[in-house]
Every structure is written in structure tokens, then in C-alpha cells.
């Protein structure tokens, strides 16, 4: 529990202090946001706002996590980093690097498009494939690995889908959620605020799984076979603290944008937490806002291809409400409320399933 608090506090402090430094540095170097011509006209005022702020989130989270473990090195109880925690952080950092390259190309070439879609997808797939292979290794003393080749909801369910099926499933999930957070990152503070809520849920889930771990409370019907629940809560807390510190400067009107560096990294870390806590399908509920916004794009594109007509004034969904006359802050706060309701519903299901059956 102490590591959770230390990691969150250090990451929060570093992000709060580091983000304004990044704002000045990026502004001095001309690392400003380019705006799509086909986007809402109100976004033109944001042109030139420093971007790539996701680098602060990633760096602050990594430092917070490792410093939290460093504190325990000198304590009576050794608590080194775990395989599960390091793999989730690898996924976050790897996808953040893909996003950083995308952001840098946008800035260097002064255009709203960075990496070509194929190159960007290839980067996500490579990082995701490495994660998928490694997450099935590193068994602990109980032969529990960070993830299992079964699909999970509130815990692992059903038969194994095999190594190839698992890798495909992991790639689908990682690419899907990293792009979903990227699509949500269209208004000041929207993606960062919604991600904070999901990360807070995973702090609670990891802590609950620790308290009801099969390796500590016995092999009861409701215990959890999760390799490193405490360290996964530490990872979630570290990223949560970094994200909250960034949100202070990213809230409307934003002084800095996270860019693809941040959105891909955050999408990756929540996907990684879903696999390592064995709550893959639950993430669809916890991250319901991301799923809703992604579905709006799929519906818009699919319906337009079939009928040459649009369902929404513009996709993703938040831009539809912008063009309907809603103020940006109104959309952001109301979407945060939707995200909070999704998180509440997901946590409710998680705890309800655990409760002993009468």
C-alpha cells in the first residue's frame, strides 16, 4: 500500500512541475500543434499550442514507479519491481515512442498528419506482439504468469484460445484501445480526465485482488490468480499521478496537448493492466467512453460508405456536439460524467461477482 501512495505522489509532483517546463521548452522550439482543415473551426485558435506533452506523463510515471520501489530497497521488506509491472510499463513506453515519432513528424513537416497509417499500425503491432509473447512467460512460485491464454472478464473464463489466438487477441485489444484514446483526445482534457478515472479503477482492482489473492488467502472459490496485483496497482497509481499532474495544465483551455505520444501510451497502459489483472472484457465497460467514441467513428464511416450520408455532423462523437453548439467545457465535463458512470458500473460488476453466493 505504501508503494501505491509513494508512486502516485512522486509522479503527480513530477508531472505538475515538469509540464510547465515542457510547455516553455516546446514553445521555444516551435513544437506546436497543427490543426486539420476539416476539423471544427473553433479549433483554429489552438494552432501552435505545444504538443507532445505525453512525454511528461511517460517519464513522470516511470520515475515515480522506480523511485517507489527504490524506497523499499533500504527498508526491512524488499519489494523489487515485478515482471507484470515492468511489462505494462514496457507497453506504455513502446507505444509512447511510436506516438512520439508520429508527433515529431507532424511538427517537422508542419502538417496535421504524421506517420503513415501503415507505419503507425506496424509500430503498434510490433510493440504489442513483444508484450503478448513476454506476458505468457515469467511464472512465479505458483506457476502463475502475468497473463494467460484465456479470455477474461472479471477473471479468466472459458478454455485457452492458444498462443496464436492469444497474440491476435492481444494485438486487437492494444491497437483498439490505443487508437480509442487517440480518438478521444480531441478536446482539452477529455482523454486525460477519462483515463484518470479508468486508472483509479485499476488501483482499486489491483488492491482488491491482492487482499483476495489465492496465494495469500487460500484457494477459495472467489480468490484471484493474478501474479502481481500489488505492483499492478503501483503502476496504475504512478500513471494516474502523472496523468493528474498533466491534466492540471491540459484542462480547458489547454496550455499543452498530450499528442499521440500520450494517447497511445495511455491506451497501451490500460490495455496492459486489463491483461495482467485478468479483466480484459471488463475494460470495455470501465473504458466505456472510449468504446462509445470509437463506435461513433465506425458508424459514421460505415454508414457513409453505404449511403453517402452521415449519422453525425462530425466524428468522433465529441465534435458532433461541438458543431451542435455545445461549449467545449460542457462537452468535456459531461463526457467525464459518462466516463465516471462507466467506471462505477464496471467496479460494481467486479465487486458483485466477488461477493460470496448465498
Amino acid at each position: 500500500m505504501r508503494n501505491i501512495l509513494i508512486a502516485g505522489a512522486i509522479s503527480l509532483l513530477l508531472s505538475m512541475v515538469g509540464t510547465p517546463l515542457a510547455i516553455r521548452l516546446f514553445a521555444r522550439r516551435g513544437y506546436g500543434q497543427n490543426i486539420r482543415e476539416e476539423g471544427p473551426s473553433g479549433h483554429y485558435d489552438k494552432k501552435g499550442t505545444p504538443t507532445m506533452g505525453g512525454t511528461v506523463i511517460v517519464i513522470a510515471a516511470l520515475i515515480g514507479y522506480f523511485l517507489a520501489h527504490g524506497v523499499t530497497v533500504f527498508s526491512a521488506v524488499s519489494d523489487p519491481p515485478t515482471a507484470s509491472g515492468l511489462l505494462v510499463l514496457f507497453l506504455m513506453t513502446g507505444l509512447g515512442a511510436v506516438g512520439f515519432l508520429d508527433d515529431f513528424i507532424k511538427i517537422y513537416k508542419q502538417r496535421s498528419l504524421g506517420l503513415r497509417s501503415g507505419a503507425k499500425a506496424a509500430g503498434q503491432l510490433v510493440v504489442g506482439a513483444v508484450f503478448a509473447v513476454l506476458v505468457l512467460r515469467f511464472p512465479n512460485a505458483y506457476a502463475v504468469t502475468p497473463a494467460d491464454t484465456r479470455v477474461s472478464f472479471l477473471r479468466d473464463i472459458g478454455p485457452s484460445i492458444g498462443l496464436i489466438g492469444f497474440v491476435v487477441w492481444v494485438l486487437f485489444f492494444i491497437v483498439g484501445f490505443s487508437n480509442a484514446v487517440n480518438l478521444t483526445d480531441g478536446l482539452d482534457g477529455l482523454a486525460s480526465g477519462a483515463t484518470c478515472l479508468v486508472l483509479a479503477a485499476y488501483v482499486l482492482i489491483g488492491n482488491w485482488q491482492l487482499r483476495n489473492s489465492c496465494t495469500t488467502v487460500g484457494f477459495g472459490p472467489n480468490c484471484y490468480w493474478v501474479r502481481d496485483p500489488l505492483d499492478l496497482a503501483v503502476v496504475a497509481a504512478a500513471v494516474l499521478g502523472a496523468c493528474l499532474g498533466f491534466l492540471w495544465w491540459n484542462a480547458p483551455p489547454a496550455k499543452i496537448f498530450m499528442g499521440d505520444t500520450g494517447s497511445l501510451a495511455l491506451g497501451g497502459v490500460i490495455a496492459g493492466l486489463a491483461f495482467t489483472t485478468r479483466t480484459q472484457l471488463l475494460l470495455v465497460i470501465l473504458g466505456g467512453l472510449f468504446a462509445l467514441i470509437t463506435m461513433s467513428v465506425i458508424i459514421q464511416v460505415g454508414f457513409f460508405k453505404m449511403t453517402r450520408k452521415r449519422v453525425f455532423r462530425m466524428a468522433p462523437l465529441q465534435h458532433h456536439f461541438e458543431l451542435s453548439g455545445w461549449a467545449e467545457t460542457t462537452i468535456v465535463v459531461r463526457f467525464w460524467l459518462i466516463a465516471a458512470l462507466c467506471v462505477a458500473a464496471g467496479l460494481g460488476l467486479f465487486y458483485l461477482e466477488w461477493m460470496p453466493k448465498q
Side-chain angles (χ1 to χ4, degrees):
M1 179 62 73
R2 182 176 64 171
N3 274 12
I4 296 175
L5 297 175
I6 294 173
I10 292 175
S11 298
L12 174 62
L13 178 62
L14 289 174
S15 186
M16 281 284 291
V17 174
T19 302
L21 297 177
I23 292 172
R24 290 195 289 271
L25 174 63
F26 294 161
R28 188 164 58 246
R29 292 182 173 272
Y31 293 173
Q33 179 71 33
N34 290 291
I35 305 298
R36 293 183 305 162
E37 293 181 0
E38 65 272 19
S41 59
H43 287 204
Y44 293 145
D45 294 339
K46 301 181 181 183
K47 185 175 182 179
T49 300
T51 187
M52 294 199 301
T55 54
V56 178
I57 298 176
V58 173
I59 292 172
L62 290 173
I63 294 175
Y65 173 82
F66 285 109
L67 283 183
H69 281 289
V71 169
T72 62
V73 169
F74 303 102
S75 65
V77 180
S78 178
D79 187 18
T82 66
S84 299
L86 292 175
L87 284 171
V88 174
L89 291 174
F90 160 77
L91 183 59
M92 176 189 73
T93 307
L95 291 177
V98 174
F100 181 86
L101 183 59
D102 185 57
D103 287 333
F104 188 79
I105 291 175
K106 292 176 186 176
I107 294 168
Y108 182 76
K109 295 193 174 182
Q110 290 295 299
R111 64 187 191 189
S112 60
L113 298 176
L115 281 173
R116 295 184 183 275
S117 58
K120 187 175 180 179
Q124 292 172 292
L125 291 174
V126 169
V127 174
V130 174
F131 173 82
V133 172
L134 293 179
V135 83
L136 296 176
R137 300 178 180 272
F138 310 107
N140 63 6
Y142 294 87
V144 180
T145 52
D148 189 84
T149 56
R150 290 184 290 172
V151 175
S152 61
F153 178 34
L154 305 171
R155 60 184 76 238
D156 288 331
I157 55 177
S160 168
I161 59 177
L163 177 60
I164 295 177
F166 177 76
V167 171
V168 172
W169 176 236
V170 170
L171 293 178
F172 171 79
F173 224 79
I174 289 173
V175 173
F177 266 95
S178 59
N179 287 332
V181 177
N182 185 246
L183 289 172
T184 304
D185 185 33
L187 299 180
D188 297 353
L190 179 56
S192 51
T195 306
C196 284
L197 293 168
V198 177
L199 289 168
Y202 273 112
V203 173
L204 296 175
I205 287 172
N207 187 55
W208 188 257
Q209 290 176 333
L210 171 68
R211 294 175 181 274
N212 297 279
S213 172
C214 297
T215 62
T216 57
V217 301
F219 304 156
N222 296 319
C223 68
Y224 297 99
W225 285 106
V226 176
R227 189 189 189 282
D228 307 297
L230 174 59
D231 204 37
L232 294 172
V234 173
V235 170
V239 184
L240 172 60
C243 202
L244 282 171
F246 177 79
L247 180 58
W248 181 269
W249 304 99
N250 182 235
K255 301 293 189 297
I256 188 172
F257 300 139
M258 69 169 68
D260 283 18
T261 307
S263 59
L264 296 189
L266 292 177
V269 79
I270 61 175
L273 287 168
F275 277 96
T276 48
T277 59
R278 317 293 177 96
T279 56
Q280 299 154 22
L281 296 178
L282 182 63
L283 179 57
V284 178
I285 299 174
L286 292 171
L289 178 66
F290 302 128
L292 178 66
I293 287 175
T294 303
M295 283 303 301
S296 73
V297 175
I298 295 172
I299 291 171
Q300 182 86 325
V301 173
F303 193 79
F304 184 79
K305 286 184 176 180
M306 290 188 295
T307 66
R308 313 308 296 178
K309 296 181 180 179
R310 292 178 172 83
V311 177
F312 308 105
R313 296 188 178 190
M314 181 178 287
L317 187 60
Q318 62 268 30
H319 298 319
H320 167 80
F321 291 105
E322 269 193 292
L323 297 181
S324 298
W326 289 25
E328 181 173 2
T329 51
T330 300
I331 300 170
V332 170
V333 172
R334 288 177 177 174
F335 275 39
W336 281 351
L337 292 175
I338 294 172
L341 290 173
C342 291
V343 167
L347 286 176
L349 284 173
F350 180 78
Y351 288 122
L352 184 63
E353 186 271 345
W354 175 87
M355 292 177 63
K357 308 299 187 294
Q358 298 296 330

mmCIF file with all atom_site columns, all heavy atoms in Angstrom, residues 84-96:
data_model
loop_
_atom_site.group_PDB
_atom_site.id
_atom_site.type_symbol
_atom_site.label_atom_id
_atom_site.label_alt_id
_atom_site.label_comp_id
_atom_site.label_asym_id
_atom_site.label_entity_id
_atom_site.label_seq_id
_atom_site.pdbx_PDB_ins_code
_atom_site.Cartn_x
_atom_site.Cartn_y
_atom_site.Cartn_z
_atom_site.occupancy
_atom_site.B_iso_or_equiv
_atom_site.pdbx_formal_charge
_atom_site.auth_seq_id
_atom_site.auth_comp_id
_atom_site.auth_asym_id
_atom_site.auth_atom_id
_atom_site.pdbx_PDB_model_num
ATOM 1  N N   . SER A 1 84 ? 5.148  -8.390 -14.119 1.00 0.00 ? 84 SER A N   1
ATOM 2  C CA  . SER A 1 84 ? 3.884  -7.819 -14.600 1.00 0.00 ? 84 SER A CA  1
ATOM 3  C C   . SER A 1 84 ? 3.984  -6.308 -14.727 1.00 0.00 ? 84 SER A C   1
ATOM 4  O O   . SER A 1 84 ? 3.593  -5.722 -15.743 1.00 0.00 ? 84 SER A O   1
ATOM 5  C CB  . SER A 1 84 ? 2.740  -8.187 -13.643 1.00 0.00 ? 84 SER A CB  1
ATOM 6  O OG  . SER A 1 84 ? 2.569  -9.577 -13.557 1.00 0.00 ? 84 SER A OG  1
ATOM 7  N N   . GLY A 1 85 ? 4.512  -5.659 -13.686 1.00 0.00 ? 85 GLY A N   1
ATOM 8  C CA  . GLY A 1 85 ? 4.628  -4.208 -13.712 1.00 0.00 ? 85 GLY A CA  1
ATOM 9  C C   . GLY A 1 85 ? 5.546  -3.722 -14.813 1.00 0.00 ? 85 GLY A C   1
ATOM 10 O O   . GLY A 1 85 ? 5.231  -2.763 -15.531 1.00 0.00 ? 85 GLY A O   1
ATOM 11 N N   . LEU A 1 86 ? 6.677  -4.382 -14.970 1.00 0.00 ? 86 LEU A N   1
ATOM 12 C CA  . LEU A 1 86 ? 7.641  -3.965 -15.990 1.00 0.00 ? 86 LEU A CA  1
ATOM 13 C C   . LEU A 1 86 ? 7.094  -4.164 -17.401 1.00 0.00 ? 86 LEU A C   1
ATOM 14 O O   . LEU A 1 86 ? 7.348  -3.346 -18.298 1.00 0.00 ? 86 LEU A O   1
ATOM 15 C CB  . LEU A 1 86 ? 8.945  -4.741 -15.818 1.00 0.00 ? 86 LEU A CB  1
ATOM 16 C CG  . LEU A 1 86 ? 9.751  -4.424 -14.544 1.00 0.00 ? 86 LEU A CG  1
ATOM 17 C CD1 . LEU A 1 86 ? 10.952 -5.353 -14.427 1.00 0.00 ? 86 LEU A CD1 1
ATOM 18 C CD2 . LEU A 1 86 ? 10.195 -2.966 -14.523 1.00 0.00 ? 86 LEU A CD2 1
ATOM 19 N N   . LEU A 1 87 ? 6.321  -5.217 -17.615 1.00 0.00 ? 87 LEU A N   1
ATOM 20 C CA  . LEU A 1 87 ? 5.760  -5.466 -18.940 1.00 0.00 ? 87 LEU A CA  1
ATOM 21 C C   . LEU A 1 87 ? 4.711  -4.411 -19.307 1.00 0.00 ? 87 LEU A C   1
ATOM 22 O O   . LEU A 1 87 ? 4.654  -3.950 -20.448 1.00 0.00 ? 87 LEU A O   1
ATOM 23 C CB  . LEU A 1 87 ? 5.153  -6.866 -18.997 1.00 0.00 ? 87 LEU A CB  1
ATOM 24 C CG  . LEU A 1 87 ? 6.163  -8.008 -19.109 1.00 0.00 ? 87 LEU A CG  1
ATOM 25 C CD1 . LEU A 1 87 ? 5.479  -9.360 -18.926 1.00 0.00 ? 87 LEU A CD1 1
ATOM 26 C CD2 . LEU A 1 87 ? 6.887  -7.959 -20.450 1.00 0.00 ? 87 LEU A CD2 1
ATOM 27 N N   . VAL A 1 88 ? 3.887  -4.027 -18.345 1.00 0.00 ? 88 VAL A N   1
ATOM 28 C CA  . VAL A 1 88 ? 2.899  -2.982 -18.614 1.00 0.00 ? 88 VAL A CA  1
ATOM 29 C C   . VAL A 1 88 ? 3.594  -1.657 -18.911 1.00 0.00 ? 88 VAL A C   1
ATOM 30 O O   . VAL A 1 88 ? 3.199  -0.919 -19.819 1.00 0.00 ? 88 VAL A O   1
ATOM 31 C CB  . VAL A 1 88 ? 1.912  -2.836 -17.431 1.00 0.00 ? 88 VAL A CB  1
ATOM 32 C CG1 . VAL A 1 88 ? 0.979  -1.647 -17.657 1.00 0.00 ? 88 VAL A CG1 1
ATOM 33 C CG2 . VAL A 1 88 ? 1.099  -4.109 -17.259 1.00 0.00 ? 88 VAL A CG2 1
ATOM 34 N N   . LEU A 1 89 ? 4.649  -1.358 -18.165 1.00 0.00 ? 89 LEU A N   1
ATOM 35 C CA  . LEU A 1 89 ? 5.399  -0.127 -18.415 1.00 0.00 ? 89 LEU A CA  1
ATOM 36 C C   . LEU A 1 89 ? 6.124  -0.184 -19.764 1.00 0.00 ? 89 LEU A C   1
ATOM 37 O O   . LEU A 1 89 ? 6.250  0.835  -20.444 1.00 0.00 ? 89 LEU A O   1
ATOM 38 C CB  . LEU A 1 89 ? 6.402  0.110  -17.286 1.00 0.00 ? 89 LEU A CB  1
ATOM 39 C CG  . LEU A 1 89 ? 5.789  0.479  -15.934 1.00 0.00 ? 89 LEU A CG  1
ATOM 40 C CD1 . LEU A 1 89 ? 6.871  0.552  -14.868 1.00 0.00 ? 89 LEU A CD1 1
ATOM 41 C CD2 . LEU A 1 89 ? 5.020  1.794  -16.012 1.00 0.00 ? 89 LEU A CD2 1
ATOM 42 N N   . PHE A 1 90 ? 6.602  -1.370 -20.143 1.00 0.00 ? 90 PHE A N   1
ATOM 43 C CA  . PHE A 1 90 ? 7.206  -1.533 -21.471 1.00 0.00 ? 90 PHE A CA  1
ATOM 44 C C   . PHE A 1 90 ? 6.176  -1.218 -22.552 1.00 0.00 ? 90 PHE A C   1
ATOM 45 O O   . PHE A 1 90 ? 6.488  -0.523 -23.539 1.00 0.00 ? 90 PHE A O   1
ATOM 46 C CB  . PHE A 1 90 ? 7.723  -2.955 -21.648 1.00 0.00 ? 90 PHE A CB  1
ATOM 47 C CG  . PHE A 1 90 ? 7.903  -3.343 -23.095 1.00 0.00 ? 90 PHE A CG  1
ATOM 48 C CD1 . PHE A 1 90 ? 9.000  -2.890 -23.816 1.00 0.00 ? 90 PHE A CD1 1
ATOM 49 C CD2 . PHE A 1 90 ? 6.961  -4.138 -23.737 1.00 0.00 ? 90 PHE A CD2 1
ATOM 50 C CE1 . PHE A 1 90 ? 9.156  -3.227 -25.164 1.00 0.00 ? 90 PHE A CE1 1
ATOM 51 C CE2 . PHE A 1 90 ? 7.111  -4.480 -25.078 1.00 0.00 ? 90 PHE A CE2 1
ATOM 52 C CZ  . PHE A 1 90 ? 8.199  -4.020 -25.795 1.00 0.00 ? 90 PHE A CZ  1
ATOM 53 N N   . LEU A 1 91 ? 4.958  -1.733 -22.393 1.00 0.00 ? 91 LEU A N   1
ATOM 54 C CA  . LEU A 1 91 ? 3.916  -1.484 -23.380 1.00 0.00 ? 91 LEU A CA  1
ATOM 55 C C   . LEU A 1 91 ? 3.608  0.007  -23.467 1.00 0.00 ? 91 LEU A C   1
ATOM 56 O O   . LEU A 1 91 ? 3.481  0.567  -24.565 1.00 0.00 ? 91 LEU A O   1
ATOM 57 C CB  . LEU A 1 91 ? 2.652  -2.269 -22.998 1.00 0.00 ? 91 LEU A CB  1
ATOM 58 C CG  . LEU A 1 91 ? 1.478  -2.197 -23.959 1.00 0.00 ? 91 LEU A CG  1
ATOM 59 C CD1 . LEU A 1 91 ? 1.854  -2.708 -25.335 1.00 0.00 ? 91 LEU A CD1 1
ATOM 60 C CD2 . LEU A 1 91 ? 0.291  -2.974 -23.407 1.00 0.00 ? 91 LEU A CD2 1
ATOM 61 N N   . MET A 1 92 ? 3.491  0.663  -22.323 1.00 0.00 ? 92 MET A N   1
ATOM 62 C CA  . MET A 1 92 ? 3.230  2.100  -22.305 1.00 0.00 ? 92 MET A CA  1
ATOM 63 C C   . MET A 1 92 ? 4.353  2.877  -22.996 1.00 0.00 ? 92 MET A C   1
ATOM 64 O O   . MET A 1 92 ? 4.091  3.742  -23.847 1.00 0.00 ? 92 MET A O   1
ATOM 65 C CB  . MET A 1 92 ? 3.089  2.586  -20.856 1.00 0.00 ? 92 MET A CB  1
ATOM 66 C CG  . MET A 1 92 ? 2.910  4.091  -20.715 1.00 0.00 ? 92 MET A CG  1
ATOM 67 S SD  . MET A 1 92 ? 3.001  4.687  -19.001 1.00 0.00 ? 92 MET A SD  1
ATOM 68 C CE  . MET A 1 92 ? 4.766  4.540  -18.686 1.00 0.00 ? 92 MET A CE  1
ATOM 69 N N   . THR A 1 93 ? 5.587  2.553  -22.664 1.00 0.00 ? 93 THR A N   1
ATOM 70 C CA  . THR A 1 93 ? 6.726  3.283  -23.214 1.00 0.00 ? 93 THR A CA  1
ATOM 71 C C   . THR A 1 93 ? 6.894  3.014  -24.705 1.00 0.00 ? 93 THR A C   1
ATOM 72 O O   . THR A 1 93 ? 7.188  3.934  -25.482 1.00 0.00 ? 93 THR A O   1
ATOM 73 C CB  . THR A 1 93 ? 8.009  2.899  -22.463 1.00 0.00 ? 93 THR A CB  1
ATOM 74 O OG1 . THR A 1 93 ? 7.803  3.072  -21.053 1.00 0.00 ? 93 THR A OG1 1
ATOM 75 C CG2 . THR A 1 93 ? 9.174  3.753  -22.906 1.00 0.00 ? 93 THR A CG2 1
ATOM 76 N N   . GLY A 1 94 ? 6.715  1.754  -25.112 1.00 0.00 ? 94 GLY A N   1
ATOM 77 C CA  . GLY A 1 94 ? 6.857  1.412  -26.522 1.00 0.00 ? 94 GLY A CA  1
ATOM 78 C C   . GLY A 1 94 ? 5.832  2.113  -27.393 1.00 0.00 ? 94 GLY A C   1
ATOM 79 O O   . GLY A 1 94 ? 6.167  2.681  -28.443 1.00 0.00 ? 94 GLY A O   1
ATOM 80 N N   . LEU A 1 95 ? 4.581  2.099  -26.975 1.00 0.00 ? 95 LEU A N   1
ATOM 81 C CA  . LEU A 1 95 ? 3.548  2.791  -27.743 1.00 0.00 ? 95 LEU A CA  1
ATOM 82 C C   . LEU A 1 95 ? 3.744  4.304  -27.676 1.00 0.00 ? 95 LEU A C   1
ATOM 83 O O   . LEU A 1 95 ? 3.472  5.014  -28.650 1.00 0.00 ? 95 LEU A O   1
ATOM 84 C CB  . LEU A 1 95 ? 2.159  2.408  -27.229 1.00 0.00 ? 95 LEU A CB  1
ATOM 85 C CG  . LEU A 1 95 ? 1.739  0.959  -27.500 1.00 0.00 ? 95 LEU A CG  1
ATOM 86 C CD1 . LEU A 1 95 ? 0.366  0.677  -26.885 1.00 0.00 ? 95 LEU A CD1 1
ATOM 87 C CD2 . LEU A 1 95 ? 1.709  0.657  -28.990 1.00 0.00 ? 95 LEU A CD2 1
ATOM 88 N N   . GLY A 1 96 ? 4.228  4.791  -26.527 1.00 0.00 ? 96 GLY A N   1
ATOM 89 C CA  . GLY A 1 96 ? 4.528  6.213  -26.432 1.00 0.00 ? 96 GLY A CA  1
ATOM 90 C C   . GLY A 1 96 ? 5.613  6.617  -27.411 1.00 0.00 ? 96 GLY A C   1
ATOM 91 O O   . GLY A 1 96 ? 5.570  7.708  -27.991 1.00 0.00 ? 96 GLY A O   1
#
